[in-house]
Amino acid sequence: MAEVLVVTSGKGGVGKTTTSASISTGLAMRGKKTCVIDFDVGLRNLDLVMGCERRVIYDLINVIYKEANLSQALIKDKRYNNLYILPASQTKNKDALTKEGVGIVIDELKKDFDYIVCDSPAGIEQGAEMAMYFADKALVVANPETSSIRDSDRIIGLLSSKTYRAENDMPPIKESLLITRYNPSRVEDGNMLSVDDIKEFLSIPLLGVVPECQSVLDASNTGVPVVSNQKSDAGQAYMDAVNRFLGESIPMRFVSNEKKGFWNILKGKFTTSEVV
Amino acid sequence: MFSKMFSWKNSNKGSASAAKERLQIIVSHQGKNISDESDASNYVEKLQSELISVIAKYVKVTEDQVKVSLENSGKSSVLELNVTLPEN
């Protein structure tokens, strides 16, 4: 049975597209037939992050308005043959997304795919609403930062009211939290909200923590989702999140400052001697 | 002595604590039990039935004499308990 996952956050720039690219690629790496849809009509970027920007011919809006078939618009990933990308239109705006149209496209995809990942645009308007409307599960992406957490809180409210499941008295969307751009050493210094703080504010289960990492920028520079780089911390953190999403129980990594610099070693020594 | 030198790192005086305080005022999903997936109205129901049994130990009340309601008003939630005591 196909499952629809929306990657959402309210706030822009927290890592929705990076996350959509890595979660969908990770699912494909785990053998799941996956389609990732860009709902950011007018400001499409998923194609860039997935490295297929030069292969876009038709898009989601063309399919909705029957200017192209779904199979014409779907782009097959270069690296994983069970991964497909459905790009957004660059010229239209988000009002071109209709509930009926999106519903037909998702129903059609459900016949063929194990997972349909919906990359939501920022905001709470039509685009974001359409991305979440048909979801079975939601991944709320948040940065350890006040404005991101308030917006996530708002989005969690919308997930339980303005979606198909909510409107039709079905079991609610299963929400989970992904914290990105986490910096354990700043948390230890008391200058960044901790994982526990954020969990307490948003009260949804935690799927993963992705540390702030140069490899994320490298990945979008080259158009290869960061999850493919299993040497990087962020890549490993995303793969952990994918595995947890598929039901495995894996301890959280990258939540504490493991790399010991000179001063930390010194500090460790003093703390130990003090305890004794 | 050294602990004093380094303990500032662990004290809660960084900007994160200011962020926490400010968020506590504006975030509405705070404090809900993560493991408990039932919604607020479910726990209000349970709370009501447990309150009735506790109150009934001391005062003779029936179910309709104890009213519990939870109201969310953006910034805060108000839990209202209304007990009608029998006349005697």
Side-chain angles (χ1 to χ4, degrees), chain B residues 2 4 16-17 19-21 24 26 31-32 35 39 41 53 57 60 64 71 82 88:
Chain B
F2 281 116
K4 267 196 180 161
S17 60
K20 257 183 355 191
E21 278 170 34
Q24 268 154 5
I26 54 169
K32 246 198 270 168
S35 60
D39 58 14
S41 62
S53 61
K57 278 206 264 181
K60 209 180 159 208
D64 55 298
E71 268 180 47
N82 202 336
N88 60 351

Side-chain angles (χ1 to χ4, degrees), chain B residues 53-69:
Chain B
S53 61
V54 172
I55 295 166
K57 278 206 264 181
Y58 304 92
V59 200
K60 209 180 159 208
V61 286
T62 57
E63 216 169 297
D64 55 298
Q65 286 170 306
V66 181
K67 287 269 181 297
V68 179
S69 72

Side-chain angles (χ1 to χ4, degrees), chain A:
Chain A
M1 182 64 191
E3 226 166 27
V4 181
L5 170 73
V6 61
V7 177
T8 188
S9 71
K11 191 179 182 299
V14 299
K16 283 181 298 297
T17 301
T18 299
T19 298
S20 298
S22 274
I23 295 290
S24 56
T25 303
L27 285 167
M29 288 163 82
R30 287 286 314 266
K32 307 292 178 192
K33 195 172 181 195
T34 306
C35 175
V36 58
I37 311 176
D38 191 351
F39 277 82
D40 205 346
V41 177
L43 294 167
R44 79 164 175 236
N45 278 321
L46 180 69
D47 52 333
L48 266 181
V49 177
M50 297 291 292
C52 63
E53 70 279 5
R54 289 166 64 183
R55 294 158 63 209
V56 176
I57 301 164
Y58 295 112
D59 57 57
L60 173 62
I61 301 298
N62 292 140
V63 179
I64 288 176
Y65 289 92
K66 301 199 164 41
E67 295 151 359
N69 295 328
L70 190 53
S71 57
Q72 290 177 293
L74 284 174
I75 303 170
K76 193 171 188 290
D77 187 74
K78 279 178 290 190
R79 290 166 293 267
Y80 299 97
N81 56 19
N82 49 355
L83 178 61
Y84 289 78
I85 299 112
L86 183 53
S89 162
Q90 185 68 325
T91 50
K92 309 279 184 352
N93 69 52
K94 286 162 185 81
D95 295 329
L97 290 167
T98 61
K99 215 174 260 183
E100 296 72 28
V102 173
I104 291 168
V105 171
I106 286 184
D107 277 344
E108 196 66 26
L109 289 170
K110 274 184 168 177
K111 293 179 197 159
D112 251 353
F113 288 90
D114 299 320
Y115 289 98
I116 298 146
V117 178
C118 301
D119 181 21
S120 173
I124 51 170
E125 290 81 19
Q126 185 73 0
E129 216 176 287
M130 286 304 104
M132 71 166 70
Y133 191 76
F134 296 100
D136 303 305
K137 292 184 173 175
L139 189 52
V140 177
V141 182
N143 287 170
E145 198 252 319
T146 51
S147 52
S148 171
I149 290 164
R150 180 201 247 179
D151 291 359
S152 297
D153 177 55
R154 179 93 168 91
I155 281 290
I156 292 168
L158 294 178
L159 285 168
S160 57
S161 61
K162 292 191 113 180
T163 51
Y164 184 84
R165 280 178 173 267
E167 286 174 5
N168 291 281
D169 285 326
M170 289 165 71
I173 291 177
K174 275 206 172 132
E175 303 147 332
S176 54
L177 175 66
L178 186 83
I179 300 170
T180 56
R181 309 197 78 165
Y182 195 68
N183 186 333
S185 71
R186 292 174 77 179
V187 173
E188 273 173 36
D189 291 348
N191 291 318
M192 184 179 269
L193 290 162
S194 71
V195 169
D196 289 338
D197 292 338
I198 301 168
K199 267 166 70 183
E200 199 179 316
F201 282 121
L202 297 177
S203 296
I204 59 173
L206 181 68
L207 186 77
V209 178
V210 181
E212 193 157 49
C213 186
Q214 170 64 32
S215 61
V216 175
L217 182 57
D218 295 340
S220 83
N221 285 344
T222 53
V224 181
V226 71
V227 73
S228 304
N229 178 3
Q230 278 301 300
K231 283 186 187 140
S232 71
D233 287 358
Q236 291 173 33
Y238 271 118
M239 205 61 220
D240 282 0
V242 168
N243 289 330
R244 283 187 207 107
F245 181 79
L246 292 173
E248 288 177 30
S249 90
I250 298 163
M252 288 290 164
R253 294 195 275 172
F254 315 110
V255 287
S256 63
N257 201 13
E258 283 141 18
K259 283 176 194 145
K260 289 214 162 179
F262 173 70
W263 283 107
N264 281 338
I265 292 167
L266 209 62
K267 184 192 157 196
K269 281 212 161 70
F270 284 128
T271 333
T272 325
S273 61
E274 201 212 22
V275 171
V276 177

